[in-house]
Amino acid sequence: MANTESVTETKGKPKNILDTYFKITERGSTVGREIRGGLVTFFAMCYIIILNPLILGFTPDSQGAYLGAELATGDPTAAGAGIPLIAAATSLIAAIMSIAMGAIANYPIAIAAGLGLNALIAYTVVKMPGMTWADGMGLVVLEGLVILVLVLTGFRTAVFRAVPAGLKTAISVGIGLFIAFIGLVNAGFVTTPAMFDYIPGNQPGTPVKLGTSGSIDTLPMLVFVLGLVAIVLLTARKVKGAMLWSILGATVLAVVLEKTLSIGAKNQGTGAADNPDGWSLNAPTLPEQWLQMPDFSLIGNFSLFGAFGKIGILAVILIVFSLLLADFFDTMGTMVAVGAEADLLDEEGNPPNTTKILVIDSLAAVAGGAGSVSSNTAFIESASGVGEGARTGLAPIVTGIAFLLSTFLAPVVALVPNEAATPALVFVGFLMMTQVTGVKWNDFEIALPAFLTIIIMPFTYSITDGIGAGFLFWTAIKAVRGKHKEVHPLMWIVALIFIVYFVLGPIQDALNV
């Protein structure tokens, strides 16, 4: 169990209608834990409110137009002008879909714009000849509709149930390492210089290293380290809300340090810099105004079939397939990982209400495209809320309400620096790593695919790549050992799909799409 508090003591008869609906007591939780878990999840993933607009708002489409710029200023070529609109829509869609996940599927997973998927749209899709932002978002809507059909026909659920339990465990562990690595990188504790950079003495540089100089040499790094130490020590003392208290405490420390640096800069006559000491996304400065009215005019700015006449049906199919595959298996991995950490999976590694979870996730992709903020999907950062004790859908509802409030309190959300929130991701990575004992390491048939699944996720920065490697090697080993009858037919289909996935780049180059 992720939460260090004893949950068995809370199990018993439901106490009220809320308890009955969400099965709070039945799952060994309390309303307080659900609220804390929902808030921790929000703080762990609220970076998307800043990062998604930065990815989408500063990249022009093939026509030279920036997303939301024309709506904001009347000038489509004004770089970054649409960022407030993108931020508002990002928060609103995340709020609606997270609340839907909690209320309908009763599962502790929150939803927001998916990283990787937004980059694919921004840096590849809308750059294709003739493509506009509206066309790109239309493809996201189509992808969501296709996944929804796969869910409603039972195909997506069937694929999920066909995956061996050992691989499901490996997926959870791999995601744990992945989100821990995300936390380290986003905090600047681990940096990723170019693979072939050279350092003095003509010695090859390493692909990753500690900070920028091999030591803790910046105040943001110090905030991260102290935040992580706080979580560890508070958890060791069994303090309720350890992650939330750590995030809040680290934020206060960051604000104090930032204020001190700004005052020092002014006293030296240099002026207060916006980001004087390398905060990864946003400097924790006190806002001039705490409330800001959101502008939702970007929502609905998509063209469902516009791409067909500009890049052709074959290119559309390949793009939708790329989006679909990443969305399909990322959600599966997240669903398993969060369920395992919350002790909600059955003996076969399947979570409750699987179909409802997948339907909401599919609709989230549709909503993300319709809202012009890219595909929305289940966030693995939800595991941080589970680590705080969340076990039910009440937690993502709390997260969704926080996202809804953030549309008005954007300056307050921006106050929390990445370095204050990412220690929770690292600690949750540790909690998820403890599941590694569930893999039968003395059984080569599952151990090798599990190992590849676990290491490839963080090393490639992709959940889908790790799952694909595990699936392919598992089916291959079964085949060469003459045990092909033990492989579910759907696993063969998925393996073939992953072969196409891993060589999709050369295929696109060969077809000139």
mmCIF file of all heavy atoms in Angstrom, residues 88 145 148 201 214 228 235 239 241 326 332 340 438 486:
data_model
loop_
_atom_site.group_PDB
_atom_site.id
_atom_site.type_symbol
_atom_site.label_atom_id
_atom_site.label_comp_id
_atom_site.label_asym_id
_atom_site.label_seq_id
_atom_site.Cartn_x
_atom_site.Cartn_y
_atom_site.Cartn_z
ATOM 1 N N ALA A 88 -6.509 28.920 -20.055
ATOM 2 C CA ALA A 88 -7.879 28.826 -19.543
ATOM 3 C C ALA A 88 -8.575 27.567 -20.058
ATOM 4 O O ALA A 88 -9.237 26.846 -19.302
ATOM 5 C CB ALA A 88 -8.666 30.072 -19.954
ATOM 6 N N LEU A 145 -12.542 9.828 -31.159
ATOM 7 C CA LEU A 145 -13.747 9.120 -31.580
ATOM 8 C C LEU A 145 -13.436 7.673 -31.961
ATOM 9 O O LEU A 145 -14.222 6.755 -31.664
ATOM 10 C CB LEU A 145 -14.393 9.857 -32.762
ATOM 11 C CG LEU A 145 -14.997 11.232 -32.439
ATOM 12 C CD1 LEU A 145 -15.458 11.922 -33.716
ATOM 13 C CD2 LEU A 145 -16.156 11.090 -31.458
ATOM 14 N N LEU A 148 -12.948 5.745 -28.825
ATOM 15 C CA LEU A 148 -14.246 5.535 -28.185
ATOM 16 C C LEU A 148 -14.966 4.347 -28.811
ATOM 17 O O LEU A 148 -15.559 3.521 -28.099
ATOM 18 C CB LEU A 148 -15.103 6.800 -28.314
ATOM 19 C CG LEU A 148 -16.506 6.729 -27.700
ATOM 20 C CD1 LEU A 148 -16.422 6.456 -26.202
ATOM 21 C CD2 LEU A 148 -17.265 8.033 -27.961
ATOM 22 N N GLY A 201 39.152 18.368 -21.995
ATOM 23 C CA GLY A 201 39.957 17.153 -22.063
ATOM 24 C C GLY A 201 39.486 16.229 -23.168
ATOM 25 O O GLY A 201 39.972 15.112 -23.303
ATOM 26 N N GLY A 214 27.386 19.170 -11.770
ATOM 27 C CA GLY A 214 27.720 17.995 -10.994
ATOM 28 C C GLY A 214 27.517 18.165 -9.506
ATOM 29 O O GLY A 214 27.958 17.334 -8.710
ATOM 30 N N LEU A 228 12.022 17.125 -1.014
ATOM 31 C CA LEU A 228 12.088 15.671 -0.986
ATOM 32 C C LEU A 228 12.432 15.167 0.416
ATOM 33 O O LEU A 228 11.829 14.199 0.909
ATOM 34 C CB LEU A 228 13.130 15.180 -1.990
ATOM 35 C CG LEU A 228 13.287 13.658 -2.120
ATOM 36 C CD1 LEU A 228 11.957 13.003 -2.504
ATOM 37 C CD2 LEU A 228 14.368 13.324 -3.139
ATOM 38 N N THR A 235 6.897 11.426 6.201
ATOM 39 C CA THR A 235 6.335 10.088 6.017
ATOM 40 C C THR A 235 6.880 9.127 7.063
ATOM 41 O O THR A 235 6.149 8.289 7.606
ATOM 42 C CB THR A 235 6.661 9.558 4.606
ATOM 43 O OG1 THR A 235 6.139 10.457 3.634
ATOM 44 C CG2 THR A 235 6.039 8.177 4.391
ATOM 45 N N VAL A 239 3.222 11.434 9.404
ATOM 46 C CA VAL A 239 2.446 12.666 9.419
ATOM 47 C C VAL A 239 1.436 12.636 8.277
ATOM 48 O O VAL A 239 1.798 12.381 7.120
ATOM 49 C CB VAL A 239 3.367 13.899 9.274
ATOM 50 C CG1 VAL A 239 2.540 15.177 9.164
ATOM 51 C CG2 VAL A 239 4.316 13.978 10.458
ATOM 52 N N GLY A 241 -0.781 13.796 5.300
ATOM 53 C CA GLY A 241 -0.627 14.858 4.307
ATOM 54 C C GLY A 241 0.819 15.236 4.057
ATOM 55 O O GLY A 241 1.103 16.388 3.726
ATOM 56 N N ALA A 326 -0.318 5.882 -28.936
ATOM 57 C CA ALA A 326 0.240 6.456 -27.710
ATOM 58 C C ALA A 326 -0.837 6.596 -26.641
ATOM 59 O O ALA A 326 -0.628 6.242 -25.474
ATOM 60 C CB ALA A 326 0.870 7.806 -28.022
ATOM 61 N N MET A 332 -3.592 2.682 -20.561
ATOM 62 C CA MET A 332 -3.593 1.345 -19.983
ATOM 63 C C MET A 332 -2.535 1.233 -18.889
ATOM 64 O O MET A 332 -2.785 0.714 -17.798
ATOM 65 C CB MET A 332 -3.330 0.300 -21.062
ATOM 66 C CG MET A 332 -3.493 -1.134 -20.567
ATOM 67 S SD MET A 332 -3.076 -2.374 -21.812
ATOM 68 C CE MET A 332 -1.288 -2.320 -21.710
ATOM 69 N N ALA A 340 -2.694 -0.476 -9.024
ATOM 70 C CA ALA A 340 -1.815 -1.326 -8.215
ATOM 71 C C ALA A 340 -1.380 -0.588 -6.958
ATOM 72 O O ALA A 340 -1.345 -1.158 -5.861
ATOM 73 C CB ALA A 340 -0.598 -1.741 -9.038
ATOM 74 N N GLY A 438 6.596 -8.360 -7.423
ATOM 75 C CA GLY A 438 5.497 -9.110 -8.010
ATOM 76 C C GLY A 438 5.846 -9.782 -9.323
ATOM 77 O O GLY A 438 5.055 -10.561 -9.854
ATOM 78 N N GLU A 486 -0.215 -20.272 -25.806
ATOM 79 C CA GLU A 486 -0.424 -19.554 -24.546
ATOM 80 C C GLU A 486 -0.592 -18.053 -24.765
ATOM 81 O O GLU A 486 -0.909 -17.326 -23.823
ATOM 82 C CB GLU A 486 0.761 -19.805 -23.610
ATOM 83 C CG GLU A 486 0.913 -21.255 -23.169
ATOM 84 C CD GLU A 486 2.089 -21.449 -22.243
ATOM 85 O OE1 GLU A 486 2.646 -20.428 -21.760
ATOM 86 O OE2 GLU A 486 2.457 -22.617 -21.983
#
